[in-house]
Amino acid sequence: MLFASGLTALLWATFLGLGLTVLADDKPCTLHHDGNYYDLNPLKVSKDYEFKTPGGHSFYLNVCRRVTTEPWSPGVPDGADIAGLVRKDHHDFAIGMVNTTLEMRDTGLMLHLSNGSPCPEGDNLYGSSAIMFLCDKSVYGSGNPVVISQWPEDDDQACQYTLEWRTHFACPTGERGLMSGIIVFIVITVMIFFMLFIVASTLYNRFVLRKRGFDQLAQLSKDHLLEVMEFCADLFRSILDNIRSSSHTWAGSGSRDLNSTSHHWSSRDEERAMMAADPLEDDTAHDQELQDTNAWSNEAADRQGAAP
C-alpha cells in the first residue's frame, strides 16, 4: 500500500512538474511586456548574417547563439560564445558575447552585447554593441542588420557598435496565457498516456494473448482498452503482493535467528546448547559405564573360580 501511494505521488509530481514547465515561459530571447509577447528565436540561423561596416569590413552576426564563422585571433578565450565579429585587416574583432536577455526601450526591443575583444586604443575597454530590433511588418523575411554608428569612427579603431534591425519578428504577438498553457499541458499528458497504452497493448497481445505479426499491434477499441487496463491493474496488485510477502519473509527469518534487541540466541539454538550441556544426560552415561565395568569384573571372577 505504501509503495502504491509513493508511485502515485511520483506520477503526480512528474505531471505537475511537466505542467509547470509548460506554463513557465522562460525561454531565452523572449520577453513579456504590457501584455505582449516577443520572441526573437526565429532569427537564429545556421549561417551567420553577413553585412558590411561603414569602412567596408565584413561583419558577421547571429542572434541568441554564437557565430558559426570561425574567428581569427579575436583576443578572447578559446571556445568563447562570440555573438558577432568584424573581420579587420589583421585579426577579427569580437563585438560581444552571446546574450539572451531582451530589453524594451522606447524604440523597441534592445539586445546588448559586451565583453568582446580588447579595444585598440583603450585600457580595460572591450568590444560591445547594442542591437535595436524594430517592428516592421513589411519585411516578410528575417531582414538585415545595419551598422548605424560606431565609436571611434575609424573602422580600424572602432570598438563599440550600434546596429538597427528591421524585421517582422520584432513585432509583438499575443502573450500565451494560463489557458493556452493548460491546453498544451493536457495535450502532452494525453500523448504520454496514449504512448503508454500503445506499448502496454502490444506487450499484452504478444505475451498474454500469444499473437504474432500485425495481430500483436495495439487495438484502438474501448473493450480492448478496458481489458488492458484490467490486466495492468492485476499485474500491479500481484507485484505489490509479492513485495509484501517477501518483506514479511525476510523480517520473520531475521527475528527467528537473532533477537536484535537483546542479542540472545533463538529458542532453537538455546535448545541445542542445553542438550549439549545437560548434566542429567552426563550422569546417565557415567552410570551405564560403571555397570558395564562391574559386569565385566563379575564375569572374570566367575571364570577364575570355575577353573580346577
Side-chain angles (χ1 to χ4, degrees), residues 1-283:
M1 190 67 178
L2 181 61
F3 178 79
S5 300
L7 182 60
T8 302
L10 179 61
L11 291 175
W12 276 111
T14 302
F15 291 135
L16 181 60
L18 179 61
L20 293 177
T21 302
V22 172
L23 295 177
D25 195 2
D26 55 354
K27 291 174 54 179
C29 282
T30 61
L31 178 67
H32 296 86
H33 183 75
D34 290 343
N36 294 319
Y37 179 67
Y38 301 87
D39 187 2
L40 295 184
N41 283 284
L43 292 177
K44 292 181 181 179
V45 289
S46 58
K47 184 179 180 180
D48 299 329
Y49 298 96
E50 183 177 356
F51 49 100
K52 297 294 184 179
T53 65
H57 290 101
S58 295
F59 204 125
Y60 300 93
L61 180 67
N62 218 314
V63 182
C64 302
R65 58 163 295 176
R66 62 183 302 173
V67 292
T68 59
T69 303
E70 188 68 25
W72 173 42
S73 300
V76 297
D78 294 337
D81 292 331
I82 300 175
L85 56 85
V86 178
R87 181 140 292 173
K88 298 189 177 182
D89 295 335
H90 304 290
H91 63 88
D92 288 344
F93 185 84
I95 66 168
M97 298 295 120
V98 173
N99 181 23
T100 59
T101 303
L102 300 178
E103 301 177 17
M104 178 59 68
R105 299 295 176 86
D106 294 337
T107 55
L109 293 176
M110 179 76 71
L111 183 64
H112 289 280
L113 308 176
S114 59
N115 298 322
S117 300
C119 295
E121 298 296 333
D123 295 335
N124 297 325
L125 292 178
Y126 298 90
S128 62
S129 57
I131 307 175
M132 298 184 298
F133 295 92
L134 304 180
C135 173
D136 191 342
K137 296 183 179 181
S138 64
V139 180
Y140 179 76
S142 299
N144 295 302
V146 178
V147 178
I148 58 175
S149 66
Q150 62 185 29
W151 181 89
E153 294 183 358
D154 184 3
D155 234 34
D156 293 330
Q157 303 297 322
C159 184
Q160 297 176 354
Y161 298 86
T162 302
L163 292 80
E164 182 180 275
W165 196 330
R166 294 182 175 272
T167 174
H168 76 279
F169 289 117
C171 299
T173 60
E175 183 175 8
R176 189 171 66 186
L178 178 63
M179 184 57 63
S180 60
I182 293 176
I183 294 175
V184 172
F185 169 67
I186 294 175
V187 171
I188 294 177
T189 304
V190 171
M191 292 178 61
I192 292 175
F193 277 108
F194 179 74
M195 289 186 292
L196 291 176
F197 167 73
I198 294 296
V199 174
S201 177
T202 303
L203 294 177
Y204 176 76
N205 291 335
R206 179 174 179 83
F207 296 104
V208 178
L209 301 182
R210 303 295 183 180
K211 294 183 178 181
R212 294 296 183 267
F214 291 102
D215 293 337
Q216 66 183 330
L217 299 180
Q219 301 176 10
L220 301 179
S221 64
K222 180 181 178 180
D223 294 337
H224 184 68
L225 174 62
L226 296 177
E227 185 178 357
V228 172
M229 291 178 62
E230 183 178 359
F231 171 76
C232 292
D234 293 339
L235 180 62
F236 185 70
R237 284 193 293 267
S238 176
I239 294 174
L240 289 181
D241 293 339
N242 291 333
I243 293 175
R244 283 197 293 266
S245 61
S246 300
S247 62
H248 292 163
T249 303
W250 296 336
S253 61
S255 61
R256 287 195 301 269
D257 291 339
L258 180 66
N259 188 333
S260 59
T261 304
S262 60
H263 301 284
H264 290 168
W265 289 349
S266 64
S267 59
R268 182 178 300 176
D269 294 335
E270 290 177 356
E271 183 179 355
R272 292 175 182 174
M274 291 175 65
M275 292 177 62
D278 191 354
L280 296 177
E281 185 176 349
D282 292 343
D283 292 343

